[in-house]
Amino acid sequence: MQAFSLKGKTALITGASYGIGFAIATGLAKAGAKIAFNDINQELVDRGLAAYEAAGIEVRGYVCDVTDESAVQALVAAIERDIAPIDILVNNAGIIRRVPMHEMEEQVFRQVIDIDLIAPFIVAKAVLPGMMARRKGKIINICSLTSELGRETVSAYASAKGGLKMLTKNIASEYGQYNIQCNGIGPGYIATPQTAPLREKQPDGSPHPFDSFIVAKTPANRWGTPEDMMGPAVFLASEASDFVNGHILYVDGGILSYVGKQP
C-alpha cells in the first residue's frame, strides 16, 4: 500500500547502533527511507555500521551526544548536507538505572532525565524549524510502559518516560498546524541487551523470577522482540498516520490491558 511507503524520505534514529533503535531503522529502511543514526562514541557507531552492512542496509552513522544542543544542531546540519533534510525523527536514545529511589544519587537521576527526556526535546527542537518550513514531518518518541505505570527501582526512568509522553502530546498540540505529527511508541518488556539481566537463568537452570513474572503478566505469553517495533514505527512514520497525532502506541503484548493471572 502506497500510504505506508517511505520512499524518498530521510529518517534520523538516535542511539540506533543496536536493539530497538537498530530494528526501527531497519524497518524504516525496508519501507524505503534513507537512514541516518548516531551514537555516543565512535566504537558504538562502528558497531552499528557493521550490523547495518551485514543486513544489507545503507546508512550514515554519526558520533553525537544528544544531550549537547550545539552538537545536535551540527548533527542535523551534517545529515542535511550528506543526505537530505530530515523528514522523520525517532527519539530512541535512552538509558535506565535500576536503583531504589532512596539509594539513588541525584547525579544519576539527572543523567537519566538528561538522556531520556531533555535529549528528545533538544533533537526535536533542532528538526522542527525545517519541518515547519516544509509543512510536513514525523516525530516518534520511544516512550515506555513506565510512561503509565511505576515499578520498583526505576524512579528516574519512569519520571523521564512519563515526561516524554507529555512532551509528545505537547509537540502534537503545538505543531499539528504545520502538518507535523508527533506520536510515541511505548514498548513493553523487550528482549534487548538492556533487559538481559532480567532474563538470565538461575544457577539451577530455572527462569529468572522477573522473567517468569513478565511472561505471566503478558497475554502474548512472551517478551517482545526489537522486530516487533518495526511495523508500528513504519505506520507512525508514513502518510498512513497523517491524522494520528499525540498518540502513544503501546507495543506491549497486552500488559496494559491485563490484570494478570489468578494465583
Side-chain angles (χ1 to χ4, degrees), residues 29-81:
K30 289 181 177 179
K34 296 177 182 177
I35 303 298
F37 78 97
N38 81 289
D39 224 310
I40 188 66
N41 58 49
Q42 190 65 52
E43 181 181 357
L44 284 171
V45 170
D46 289 343
R47 172 182 171 181
L49 289 171
Y52 287 110
E53 183 177 5
I57 297 169
E58 185 177 343
V59 300
R60 291 281 191 127
Y62 301 83
V63 176
C64 178
D65 177 353
V66 288
T67 67
D68 181 336
E69 185 165 6
S70 61
V72 169
Q73 292 285 348
L75 169 67
V76 170
I79 293 168
E80 292 188 349
R81 180 189 67 240

mmCIF file of all heavy atoms in Angstrom, residues 29-81:
data_model
loop_
_atom_site.group_PDB
_atom_site.id
_atom_site.type_symbol
_atom_site.label_atom_id
_atom_site.label_comp_id
_atom_site.label_asym_id
_atom_site.label_seq_id
_atom_site.Cartn_x
_atom_site.Cartn_y
_atom_site.Cartn_z
ATOM 1 N N ALA A 29 14.114 1.531 6.759
ATOM 2 C CA ALA A 29 14.897 1.353 5.536
ATOM 3 C C ALA A 29 14.194 0.415 4.566
ATOM 4 O O ALA A 29 14.145 0.664 3.352
ATOM 5 C CB ALA A 29 16.286 0.821 5.880
ATOM 6 N N LYS A 30 13.636 -0.668 5.082
ATOM 7 C CA LYS A 30 12.933 -1.622 4.222
ATOM 8 C C LYS A 30 11.687 -1.005 3.590
ATOM 9 O O LYS A 30 11.237 -1.450 2.536
ATOM 10 C CB LYS A 30 12.586 -2.873 5.016
ATOM 11 C CG LYS A 30 13.802 -3.729 5.353
ATOM 12 C CD LYS A 30 13.426 -4.986 6.113
ATOM 13 C CE LYS A 30 14.653 -5.864 6.364
ATOM 14 N NZ LYS A 30 14.316 -7.093 7.128
ATOM 15 N N ALA A 31 11.129 0.018 4.257
ATOM 16 C CA ALA A 31 9.973 0.724 3.696
ATOM 17 C C ALA A 31 10.393 1.819 2.719
ATOM 18 O O ALA A 31 9.528 2.490 2.147
ATOM 19 C CB ALA A 31 9.137 1.324 4.818
ATOM 20 N N GLY A 32 11.713 1.999 2.534
ATOM 21 C CA GLY A 32 12.201 2.917 1.514
ATOM 22 C C GLY A 32 12.935 4.141 1.997
ATOM 23 O O GLY A 32 13.433 4.928 1.185
ATOM 24 N N ALA A 33 13.028 4.348 3.311
ATOM 25 C CA ALA A 33 13.661 5.567 3.826
ATOM 26 C C ALA A 33 15.179 5.493 3.761
ATOM 27 O O ALA A 33 15.772 4.412 3.877
ATOM 28 C CB ALA A 33 13.222 5.811 5.266
ATOM 29 N N LYS A 34 15.813 6.654 3.613
ATOM 30 C CA LYS A 34 17.258 6.779 3.799
ATOM 31 C C LYS A 34 17.502 6.984 5.290
ATOM 32 O O LYS A 34 16.796 7.756 5.936
ATOM 33 C CB LYS A 34 17.799 7.954 2.996
ATOM 34 C CG LYS A 34 17.642 7.793 1.490
ATOM 35 C CD LYS A 34 18.137 9.033 0.763
ATOM 36 C CE LYS A 34 17.953 8.902 -0.742
ATOM 37 N NZ LYS A 34 18.373 10.147 -1.464
ATOM 38 N N ILE A 35 18.524 6.312 5.816
ATOM 39 C CA ILE A 35 18.706 6.228 7.259
ATOM 40 C C ILE A 35 19.983 6.924 7.713
ATOM 41 O O ILE A 35 21.066 6.700 7.160
ATOM 42 C CB ILE A 35 18.748 4.758 7.728
ATOM 43 C CG1 ILE A 35 17.483 4.024 7.302
ATOM 44 C CG2 ILE A 35 18.964 4.679 9.238
ATOM 45 C CD1 ILE A 35 16.202 4.575 7.898
ATOM 46 N N ALA A 36 19.838 7.755 8.747
ATOM 47 C CA ALA A 36 20.972 8.300 9.489
ATOM 48 C C ALA A 36 20.775 7.919 10.947
ATOM 49 O O ALA A 36 19.649 7.900 11.446
ATOM 50 C CB ALA A 36 21.054 9.811 9.343
ATOM 51 N N PHE A 37 21.865 7.605 11.621
ATOM 52 C CA PHE A 37 21.778 7.314 13.048
ATOM 53 C C PHE A 37 22.986 7.901 13.753
ATOM 54 O O PHE A 37 23.990 8.234 13.127
ATOM 55 C CB PHE A 37 21.683 5.797 13.308
ATOM 56 C CG PHE A 37 22.991 5.062 13.196
ATOM 57 C CD1 PHE A 37 23.751 4.773 14.323
ATOM 58 C CD2 PHE A 37 23.479 4.664 11.953
ATOM 59 C CE1 PHE A 37 24.956 4.092 14.221
ATOM 60 C CE2 PHE A 37 24.686 3.987 11.839
ATOM 61 C CZ PHE A 37 25.430 3.691 12.977
ATOM 62 N N ASN A 38 22.870 8.031 15.055
ATOM 63 C CA ASN A 38 24.008 8.499 15.851
ATOM 64 C C ASN A 38 24.193 7.578 17.035
ATOM 65 O O ASN A 38 23.305 6.796 17.387
ATOM 66 C CB ASN A 38 23.776 9.916 16.365
ATOM 67 C CG ASN A 38 22.891 9.914 17.599
ATOM 68 O OD1 ASN A 38 21.698 9.651 17.499
ATOM 69 N ND2 ASN A 38 23.470 10.206 18.763
ATOM 70 N N ASP A 39 25.351 7.697 17.660
ATOM 71 C CA ASP A 39 25.556 7.123 18.983
ATOM 72 C C ASP A 39 26.607 7.956 19.693
ATOM 73 O O ASP A 39 27.190 8.876 19.108
ATOM 74 C CB ASP A 39 25.924 5.642 18.930
ATOM 75 C CG ASP A 39 25.141 4.849 19.986
ATOM 76 O OD1 ASP A 39 25.142 5.294 21.161
ATOM 77 O OD2 ASP A 39 24.525 3.832 19.648
ATOM 78 N N ILE A 40 26.842 7.609 20.947
ATOM 79 C CA ILE A 40 27.606 8.477 21.829
ATOM 80 C C ILE A 40 29.103 8.455 21.541
ATOM 81 O O ILE A 40 29.820 9.407 21.858
ATOM 82 C CB ILE A 40 27.352 8.110 23.315
ATOM 83 C CG1 ILE A 40 27.972 9.120 24.272
ATOM 84 C CG2 ILE A 40 27.835 6.701 23.607
ATOM 85 C CD1 ILE A 40 27.347 10.480 24.212
ATOM 86 N N ASN A 41 29.615 7.377 20.923
ATOM 87 C CA ASN A 41 31.047 7.307 20.621
ATOM 88 C C ASN A 41 31.282 6.537 19.329
ATOM 89 O O ASN A 41 30.372 5.874 18.797
ATOM 90 C CB ASN A 41 31.833 6.690 21.782
ATOM 91 C CG ASN A 41 31.356 5.294 22.140
ATOM 92 O OD1 ASN A 41 31.193 4.430 21.262
ATOM 93 N ND2 ASN A 41 31.137 5.037 23.427
ATOM 94 N N GLN A 42 32.518 6.615 18.824
ATOM 95 C CA GLN A 42 32.842 6.011 17.544
ATOM 96 C C GLN A 42 32.735 4.494 17.594
ATOM 97 O O GLN A 42 32.357 3.849 16.608
ATOM 98 C CB GLN A 42 34.254 6.428 17.112
ATOM 99 C CG GLN A 42 34.584 6.050 15.672
ATOM 100 C CD GLN A 42 33.721 6.773 14.661
ATOM 101 O OE1 GLN A 42 33.602 7.996 14.691
ATOM 102 N NE2 GLN A 42 33.090 6.020 13.756
ATOM 103 N N GLU A 43 33.087 3.903 18.727
ATOM 104 C CA GLU A 43 33.008 2.442 18.846
ATOM 105 C C GLU A 43 31.591 1.943 18.605
ATOM 106 O O GLU A 43 31.373 0.971 17.870
ATOM 107 C CB GLU A 43 33.490 2.013 20.232
ATOM 108 C CG GLU A 43 33.471 0.501 20.447
ATOM 109 C CD GLU A 43 33.929 0.107 21.838
ATOM 110 O OE1 GLU A 43 34.312 0.989 22.629
ATOM 111 O OE2 GLU A 43 33.906 -1.106 22.138
ATOM 112 N N LEU A 44 30.608 2.606 19.206
ATOM 113 C CA LEU A 44 29.223 2.194 19.007
ATOM 114 C C LEU A 44 28.755 2.482 17.588
ATOM 115 O O LEU A 44 28.013 1.683 16.991
ATOM 116 C CB LEU A 44 28.313 2.892 20.019
ATOM 117 C CG LEU A 44 28.369 2.347 21.445
ATOM 118 C CD1 LEU A 44 27.594 3.252 22.397
ATOM 119 C CD2 LEU A 44 27.827 0.921 21.503
ATOM 120 N N VAL A 45 29.168 3.609 17.029
ATOM 121 C CA VAL A 45 28.802 3.913 15.636
ATOM 122 C C VAL A 45 29.368 2.848 14.705
ATOM 123 O O VAL A 45 28.680 2.351 13.806
ATOM 124 C CB VAL A 45 29.284 5.319 15.245
ATOM 125 C CG1 VAL A 45 29.130 5.536 13.738
ATOM 126 C CG2 VAL A 45 28.499 6.375 16.011
ATOM 127 N N ASP A 46 30.630 2.474 14.916
ATOM 128 C CA ASP A 46 31.241 1.441 14.077
ATOM 129 C C ASP A 46 30.521 0.111 14.232
ATOM 130 O O ASP A 46 30.329 -0.626 13.249
ATOM 131 C CB ASP A 46 32.715 1.277 14.439
ATOM 132 C CG ASP A 46 33.560 2.468 14.001
ATOM 133 O OD1 ASP A 46 33.094 3.256 13.162
ATOM 134 O OD2 ASP A 46 34.692 2.612 14.516
ATOM 135 N N ARG A 47 30.122 -0.214 15.457
ATOM 136 C CA ARG A 47 29.353 -1.436 15.701
ATOM 137 C C ARG A 47 28.050 -1.410 14.908
ATOM 138 O O ARG A 47 27.668 -2.398 14.272
ATOM 139 C CB ARG A 47 29.058 -1.568 17.194
ATOM 140 C CG ARG A 47 28.107 -2.700 17.564
ATOM 141 C CD ARG A 47 27.843 -2.707 19.064
ATOM 142 N NE ARG A 47 26.793 -3.621 19.440
ATOM 143 C CZ ARG A 47 26.359 -3.803 20.686
ATOM 144 N NH1 ARG A 47 26.916 -3.122 21.681
ATOM 145 N NH2 ARG A 47 25.379 -4.650 20.950
ATOM 146 N N GLY A 48 27.386 -0.263 14.927
ATOM 147 C CA GLY A 48 26.148 -0.129 14.175
ATOM 148 C C GLY A 48 26.369 -0.225 12.675
ATOM 149 O O GLY A 48 25.630 -0.919 11.970
ATOM 150 N N LEU A 49 27.383 0.462 12.176
ATOM 151 C CA LEU A 49 27.664 0.422 10.737
ATOM 152 C C LEU A 49 27.915 -1.004 10.261
ATOM 153 O O LEU A 49 27.439 -1.412 9.189
ATOM 154 C CB LEU A 49 28.871 1.305 10.422
ATOM 155 C CG LEU A 49 28.648 2.819 10.546
ATOM 156 C CD1 LEU A 49 29.963 3.567 10.420
ATOM 157 C CD2 LEU A 49 27.645 3.308 9.499
ATOM 158 N N ALA A 50 28.647 -1.780 11.059
ATOM 159 C CA ALA A 50 28.922 -3.171 10.691
ATOM 160 C C ALA A 50 27.639 -3.995 10.673
ATOM 161 O O ALA A 50 27.439 -4.833 9.779
ATOM 162 C CB ALA A 50 29.924 -3.775 11.675
ATOM 163 N N ALA A 51 26.757 -3.758 11.639
ATOM 164 C CA ALA A 51 25.500 -4.512 11.697
ATOM 165 C C ALA A 51 24.597 -4.161 10.519
ATOM 166 O O ALA A 51 23.970 -5.051 9.921
ATOM 167 C CB ALA A 51 24.787 -4.224 13.016
ATOM 168 N N TYR A 52 24.513 -2.886 10.179
ATOM 169 C CA TYR A 52 23.696 -2.495 9.020
ATOM 170 C C TYR A 52 24.269 -3.058 7.730
ATOM 171 O O TYR A 52 23.527 -3.529 6.861
ATOM 172 C CB TYR A 52 23.598 -0.972 8.931
ATOM 173 C CG TYR A 52 22.708 -0.348 9.984
ATOM 174 C CD1 TYR A 52 23.252 0.421 11.018
ATOM 175 C CD2 TYR A 52 21.329 -0.530 9.967
ATOM 176 C CE1 TYR A 52 22.445 0.996 11.992
ATOM 177 C CE2 TYR A 52 20.514 0.039 10.939
ATOM 178 C CZ TYR A 52 21.078 0.797 11.945
ATOM 179 O OH TYR A 52 20.280 1.364 12.919
ATOM 180 N N GLU A 53 25.575 -3.019 7.607
ATOM 181 C CA GLU A 53 26.204 -3.569 6.399
ATOM 182 C C GLU A 53 25.904 -5.053 6.271
ATOM 183 O O GLU A 53 25.582 -5.549 5.176
ATOM 184 C CB GLU A 53 27.717 -3.341 6.440
ATOM 185 C CG GLU A 53 28.437 -3.821 5.180
ATOM 186 C CD GLU A 53 29.928 -3.531 5.215
ATOM 187 O OE1 GLU A 53 30.436 -3.053 6.247
ATOM 188 O OE2 GLU A 53 30.599 -3.801 4.189
ATOM 189 N N ALA A 54 25.983 -5.766 7.401
ATOM 190 C CA ALA A 54 25.682 -7.196 7.378
ATOM 191 C C ALA A 54 24.232 -7.467 6.977
ATOM 192 O O ALA A 54 23.916 -8.502 6.381
ATOM 193 C CB ALA A 54 25.971 -7.807 8.745
ATOM 194 N N ALA A 55 23.344 -6.523 7.312
ATOM 195 C CA ALA A 55 21.930 -6.667 6.971
ATOM 196 C C ALA A 55 21.616 -6.131 5.575
ATOM 197 O O ALA A 55 20.461 -6.192 5.134
ATOM 198 C CB ALA A 55 21.073 -5.927 8.000
ATOM 199 N N GLY A 56 22.633 -5.615 4.883
ATOM 200 C CA GLY A 56 22.425 -5.098 3.538
ATOM 201 C C GLY A 56 21.718 -3.761 3.493
ATOM 202 O O GLY A 56 21.041 -3.448 2.509
ATOM 203 N N ILE A 57 21.886 -2.944 4.546
ATOM 204 C CA ILE A 57 21.197 -1.662 4.633
ATOM 205 C C ILE A 57 22.223 -0.535 4.583
ATOM 206 O O ILE A 57 23.181 -0.514 5.357
ATOM 207 C CB ILE A 57 20.381 -1.565 5.933
ATOM 208 C CG1 ILE A 57 19.288 -2.639 5.937
ATOM 209 C CG2 ILE A 57 19.771 -0.181 6.109
ATOM 210 C CD1 ILE A 57 18.600 -2.796 7.251
ATOM 211 N N GLU A 58 22.015 0.400 3.677
ATOM 212 C CA GLU A 58 22.917 1.541 3.532
ATOM 213 C C GLU A 58 22.510 2.626 4.517
ATOM 214 O O GLU A 58 21.344 3.050 4.552
ATOM 215 C CB GLU A 58 22.848 2.084 2.103
ATOM 216 C CG GLU A 58 23.839 3.207 1.831
ATOM 217 C CD GLU A 58 23.814 3.682 0.397
ATOM 218 O OE1 GLU A 58 23.275 2.949 -0.464
ATOM 219 O OE2 GLU A 58 24.331 4.784 0.140
ATOM 220 N N VAL A 59 23.446 3.062 5.343
ATOM 221 C CA VAL A 59 23.158 4.091 6.347
ATOM 222 C C VAL A 59 24.331 5.062 6.448
ATOM 223 O O VAL A 59 25.424 4.783 5.963
ATOM 224 C CB VAL A 59 22.898 3.475 7.748
ATOM 225 C CG1 VAL A 59 21.717 2.519 7.737
ATOM 226 C CG2 VAL A 59 24.151 2.798 8.287
ATOM 227 N N ARG A 60 24.087 6.169 7.137
ATOM 228 C CA ARG A 60 25.152 7.076 7.555
ATOM 229 C C ARG A 60 25.156 7.095 9.078
ATOM 230 O O ARG A 60 24.100 7.246 9.705
ATOM 231 C CB ARG A 60 24.899 8.493 7.042
ATOM 232 C CG ARG A 60 25.039 8.661 5.533
ATOM 233 C CD ARG A 60 26.485 8.766 5.101
ATOM 234 N NE ARG A 60 26.601 9.177 3.715
ATOM 235 C CZ ARG A 60 27.319 10.202 3.290
ATOM 236 N NH1 ARG A 60 28.017 10.917 4.152
ATOM 237 N NH2 ARG A 60 27.364 10.518 2.015
ATOM 238 N N GLY A 61 26.325 6.934 9.684
ATOM 239 C CA GLY A 61 26.438 6.946 11.137
ATOM 240 C C GLY A 61 27.258 8.132 11.610
ATOM 241 O O GLY A 61 28.257 8.500 10.980
ATOM 242 N N TYR A 62 26.849 8.725 12.715
ATOM 243 C CA TYR A 62 27.489 9.932 13.240
ATOM 244 C C TYR A 62 27.703 9.796 14.751
ATOM 245 O O TYR A 62 26.842 9.253 15.455
ATOM 246 C CB TYR A 62 26.612 11.167 12.998
ATOM 247 C CG TYR A 62 26.291 11.422 11.547
ATOM 248 C CD1 TYR A 62 25.239 10.759 10.921
ATOM 249 C CD2 TYR A 62 27.029 12.341 10.802
ATOM 250 C CE1 TYR A 62 24.926 10.996 9.588
ATOM 251 C CE2 TYR A 62 26.730 12.590 9.469
ATOM 252 C CZ TYR A 62 25.676 11.908 8.864
ATOM 253 O OH TYR A 62 25.373 12.146 7.539
ATOM 254 N N VAL A 63 28.814 10.325 15.229
ATOM 255 C CA VAL A 63 29.038 10.436 16.674
ATOM 256 C C VAL A 63 28.389 11.729 17.147
ATOM 257 O O VAL A 63 28.671 12.804 16.617
ATOM 258 C CB VAL A 63 30.532 10.439 17.014
ATOM 259 C CG1 VAL A 63 30.745 10.663 18.505
ATOM 260 C CG2 VAL A 63 31.190 9.138 16.573
ATOM 261 N N CYS A 64 27.498 11.618 18.136
ATOM 262 C CA CYS A 64 26.854 12.810 18.676
ATOM 263 C C CYS A 64 26.279 12.503 20.041
ATOM 264 O O CYS A 64 25.611 11.486 20.239
ATOM 265 C CB CYS A 64 25.727 13.285 17.740
ATOM 266 S SG CYS A 64 24.837 14.734 18.352
ATOM 267 N N ASP A 65 26.521 13.388 20.982
ATOM 268 C CA ASP A 65 25.906 13.339 22.306
ATOM 269 C C ASP A 65 24.601 14.116 22.221
ATOM 270 O O ASP A 65 24.602 15.343 22.085
ATOM 271 C CB ASP A 65 26.856 13.963 23.326
ATOM 272 C CG ASP A 65 26.268 14.015 24.735
ATOM 273 O OD1 ASP A 65 25.085 13.686 24.912
ATOM 274 O OD2 ASP A 65 27.004 14.407 25.661
ATOM 275 N N VAL A 66 23.473 13.420 22.316
ATOM 276 C CA VAL A 66 22.176 14.079 22.104
ATOM 277 C C VAL A 66 21.767 14.986 23.265
ATOM 278 O O VAL A 66 20.745 15.673 23.177
ATOM 279 C CB VAL A 66 21.065 13.046 21.817
ATOM 280 C CG1 VAL A 66 21.228 12.452 20.425
ATOM 281 C CG2 VAL A 66 21.022 11.954 22.873
ATOM 282 N N THR A 67 22.561 15.028 24.339
ATOM 283 C CA THR A 67 22.282 15.985 25.417
ATOM 284 C C THR A 67 23.005 17.310 25.199
ATOM 285 O O THR A 67 22.824 18.245 25.982
ATOM 286 C CB THR A 67 22.690 15.411 26.788
ATOM 287 O OG1 THR A 67 24.112 15.280 26.851
ATOM 288 C CG2 THR A 67 22.046 14.054 27.040
ATOM 289 N N ASP A 68 23.790 17.392 24.140
ATOM 290 C CA ASP A 68 24.580 18.585 23.814
ATOM 291 C C ASP A 68 23.891 19.309 22.649
ATOM 292 O O ASP A 68 23.946 18.857 21.507
ATOM 293 C CB ASP A 68 26.001 18.169 23.441
ATOM 294 C CG ASP A 68 26.917 19.337 23.107
ATOM 295 O OD1 ASP A 68 26.406 20.418 22.721
ATOM 296 O OD2 ASP A 68 28.142 19.171 23.201
ATOM 297 N N GLU A 69 23.247 20.434 22.940
ATOM 298 C CA GLU A 69 22.434 21.088 21.918
ATOM 299 C C GLU A 69 23.258 21.540 20.715
ATOM 300 O O GLU A 69 22.820 21.397 19.569
ATOM 301 C CB GLU A 69 21.677 22.280 22.515
ATOM 302 C CG GLU A 69 20.725 22.909 21.522
ATOM 303 C CD GLU A 69 19.719 23.848 22.160
ATOM 304 O OE1 GLU A 69 19.826 24.112 23.378
ATOM 305 O OE2 GLU A 69 18.818 24.328 21.434
ATOM 306 N N SER A 70 24.444 22.077 20.929
ATOM 307 C CA SER A 70 25.256 22.527 19.795
ATOM 308 C C SER A 70 25.690 21.342 18.940
ATOM 309 O O SER A 70 25.722 21.424 17.702
ATOM 310 C CB SER A 70 26.474 23.311 20.288
ATOM 311 O OG SER A 70 27.310 22.506 21.104
ATOM 312 N N ALA A 71 25.995 20.211 19.582
ATOM 313 C CA ALA A 71 26.371 19.008 18.831
ATOM 314 C C ALA A 71 25.188 18.488 18.022
ATOM 315 O O ALA A 71 25.353 18.019 16.884
ATOM 316 C CB ALA A 71 26.877 17.931 19.787
ATOM 317 N N VAL A 72 23.996 18.561 18.573
ATOM 318 C CA VAL A 72 22.797 18.107 17.858
ATOM 319 C C VAL A 72 22.518 19.005 16.664
ATOM 320 O O VAL A 72 22.175 18.521 15.572
ATOM 321 C CB VAL A 72 21.589 18.048 18.813
ATOM 322 C CG1 VAL A 72 20.290 17.850 18.031
ATOM 323 C CG2 VAL A 72 21.773 16.923 19.827
ATOM 324 N N GLN A 73 22.660 20.306 16.850
ATOM 325 C CA GLN A 73 22.467 21.218 15.716
ATOM 326 C C GLN A 73 23.455 20.902 14.593
ATOM 327 O O GLN A 73 23.104 20.909 13.410
ATOM 328 C CB GLN A 73 22.636 22.667 16.189
ATOM 329 C CG GLN A 73 21.556 23.158 17.135
ATOM 330 C CD GLN A 73 20.233 23.461 16.447
ATOM 331 O OE1 GLN A 73 20.158 23.521 15.220
ATOM 332 N NE2 GLN A 73 19.189 23.661 17.241
ATOM 333 N N ALA A 74 24.711 20.591 14.972
ATOM 334 C CA ALA A 74 25.717 20.226 13.974
ATOM 335 C C ALA A 74 25.366 18.900 13.305
ATOM 336 O O ALA A 74 25.593 18.712 12.097
ATOM 337 C CB ALA A 74 27.092 20.141 14.633
ATOM 338 N N LEU A 75 24.818 17.968 14.076
ATOM 339 C CA LEU A 75 24.398 16.674 13.516
ATOM 340 C C LEU A 75 23.316 16.867 12.461
ATOM 341 O O LEU A 75 23.398 16.299 11.359
ATOM 342 C CB LEU A 75 23.885 15.770 14.636
ATOM 343 C CG LEU A 75 23.170 14.480 14.203
ATOM 344 C CD1 LEU A 75 24.152 13.527 13.531
ATOM 345 C CD2 LEU A 75 22.497 13.818 15.402
ATOM 346 N N VAL A 76 22.307 17.647 12.777
ATOM 347 C CA VAL A 76 21.210 17.875 11.834
ATOM 348 C C VAL A 76 21.744 18.543 10.567
ATOM 349 O O VAL A 76 21.380 18.165 9.444
ATOM 350 C CB VAL A 76 20.098 18.719 12.495
ATOM 351 C CG1 VAL A 76 19.072 19.181 11.458
ATOM 352 C CG2 VAL A 76 19.419 17.905 13.596
ATOM 353 N N ALA A 77 22.636 19.502 10.719
ATOM 354 C CA ALA A 77 23.223 20.167 9.552
ATOM 355 C C ALA A 77 24.032 19.192 8.706
ATOM 356 O O ALA A 77 23.983 19.227 7.466
ATOM 357 C CB ALA A 77 24.107 21.334 10.007
ATOM 358 N N ALA A 78 24.768 18.277 9.355
ATOM 359 C CA ALA A 78 25.569 17.295 8.626
ATOM 360 C C ALA A 78 24.676 16.333 7.838
ATOM 361 O O ALA A 78 24.984 15.990 6.687
ATOM 362 C CB ALA A 78 26.451 16.518 9.603
ATOM 363 N N ILE A 79 23.577 15.903 8.454
ATOM 364 C CA ILE A 79 22.659 14.993 7.763
ATOM 365 C C ILE A 79 22.035 15.688 6.557
ATOM 366 O O ILE A 79 21.919 15.103 5.467
ATOM 367 C CB ILE A 79 21.574 14.473 8.727
ATOM 368 C CG1 ILE A 79 22.210 13.576 9.789
ATOM 369 C CG2 ILE A 79 20.482 13.711 7.970
ATOM 370 C CD1 ILE A 79 21.293 13.239 10.943
ATOM 371 N N GLU A 80 21.650 16.939 6.725
ATOM 372 C CA GLU A 80 21.079 17.684 5.601
ATOM 373 C C GLU A 80 22.100 17.864 4.488
ATOM 374 O O GLU A 80 21.753 17.836 3.303
ATOM 375 C CB GLU A 80 20.555 19.036 6.086
ATOM 376 C CG GLU A 80 19.336 18.907 6.994
ATOM 377 C CD GLU A 80 18.703 20.248 7.313
ATOM 378 O OE1 GLU A 80 19.324 21.293 7.004
ATOM 379 O OE2 GLU A 80 17.587 20.256 7.870
ATOM 380 N N ARG A 81 23.378 18.035 4.859
ATOM 381 C CA ARG A 81 24.438 18.186 3.856
ATOM 382 C C ARG A 81 24.746 16.857 3.177
ATOM 383 O O ARG A 81 24.898 16.786 1.954
ATOM 384 C CB ARG A 81 25.701 18.713 4.540
ATOM 385 C CG ARG A 81 26.892 18.907 3.588
ATOM 386 C CD ARG A 81 28.157 19.226 4.360
ATOM 387 N NE ARG A 81 28.611 18.085 5.163
ATOM 388 C CZ ARG A 81 28.745 18.105 6.486
ATOM 389 N NH1 ARG A 81 28.462 19.213 7.173
ATOM 390 N NH2 ARG A 81 29.164 17.035 7.130
#
